[in-house]
Amino acid sequence: MDEPILAKPGAGLPFVESLYLRWYLGPFVSRKADKATNLRHFTLLSSRVLKEANGVPEGKRDHKVLVPTMRGIEDSSRHWSANEVLEHLMIVGTAMRGLIEDLAAGRTSDFVVRIADVKPKGKYKGGDARPDFTDFINETARRLEPLDIVDGGVEHEHPWFGGFNALQWTWLLAGHSGIHLNQLVAIKKGLPR
């Protein structure tokens, strides 16, 4: 298959979806669960991502599949492989983990979140991202579990949601795994037999 023509990285989400994120999910839904619930969801969803990745045959981990338009995934991210999904989750999740640690400690950062900067770089091409992804899940839970993460305190700007505090970033960490779980399921369905 030829490379599909997709929007540029960082182009964002459709207008109505953007409004929904910025004015409903961000300010309201992201504050409903506590830290323990968010971390449980992160571990559960990330484990399900890993289970799906385990079902991708060795020779097909780098096979890109164009998935349909999906909620929470911008157009430029619709043509990825299983390895690229795991790599992206680790890139984004590691950055989120650092932000959560800083915000929970009351520290701000001048780091600017740019969606275009967190696309997969091809680190696992020809390899297997699953062992590093397993380590990432365990390390994230280990580092965030002891932190005092509550709703309030200093915030850090997300380009789609606006200012998020440590609790909201923890909610997003879990939700991000769920979004890409759906993508990975679609990738598996689209793999050649």
Side-chain angles (χ1 to χ4, degrees):
M1 173 181 171
D2 293 330
E3 284 290 316
I5 297 172
L6 302 171
K8 291 182 180 180
L13 299 173
F15 179 70
V16 173
E17 188 174 347
S18 296
L19 289 177
Y20 179 70
L21 293 179
R22 172 96 38 188
W23 301 108
Y24 178 66
L25 283 183
F28 301 110
V29 176
S30 67
R31 292 185 144 111
K32 287 190 175 192
D34 62 11
K35 175 192 85 170
T37 302
N38 288 336
L39 290 180
R40 255 193 326 277
H41 285 150
F42 165 75
T43 302
L44 173 69
L45 291 167
S46 297
S47 297
R48 289 180 59 196
V49 166
L50 187 59
K51 181 179 178 186
E52 290 296 329
N54 286 338
V56 176
E58 182 178 349
K60 296 183 181 174
R61 291 185 191 128
D62 290 322
H63 187 91
K64 293 184 179 206
V65 173
L66 180 62
V67 300
T69 300
M70 299 182 143
R71 184 172 290 148
I73 295 180
E74 68 174 14
D75 192 52
S76 67
S77 301
R78 293 192 308 114
H79 191 235
W80 287 356
S81 68
N83 268 342
E84 288 176 315
V85 170
L86 296 183
E87 182 184 1
H88 170 73
L89 285 168
M90 287 185 277
I91 291 169
V92 172
T94 300
M96 281 192 205
R97 183 176 70 203
L99 280 174
I100 293 165
E101 289 171 324
D102 285 346
L103 295 172
R107 294 187 302 266
T108 58
S109 168
D110 58 359
F111 172 72
V112 177
V113 178
R114 290 186 184 92
I115 303 301
D117 293 344
V118 295
K119 303 299 181 180
K121 315 291 189 241
K123 177 179 179 181
Y124 297 97
K125 189 159 182 68
D128 185 357
R130 293 173 306 157
D132 285 350
F133 188 70
T134 301
D135 292 344
F136 159 74
I137 297 168
N138 295 331
E139 179 72 5
T140 298
R142 184 188 70 75
R143 286 172 57 172
L144 297 184
E145 184 59 41
L147 300 181
D148 185 24
I149 298 173
V150 295
D151 188 17
V154 295
E155 295 182 346
H156 192 89
E157 189 76 14
H158 185 283
W160 294 350
F161 291 97
F164 261 23
N165 61 38
L167 180 68
Q168 292 171 295
W169 279 101
T170 308
W171 169 82
L172 184 57
L173 179 69
H176 186 249
S177 295
I179 289 167
H180 289 286
L181 169 62
N182 294 334
Q183 181 184 20
L184 190 51
V185 168
I187 287 170
K188 281 179 63 180
K189 286 181 183 173
L191 288 173
R193 300 284 173 222

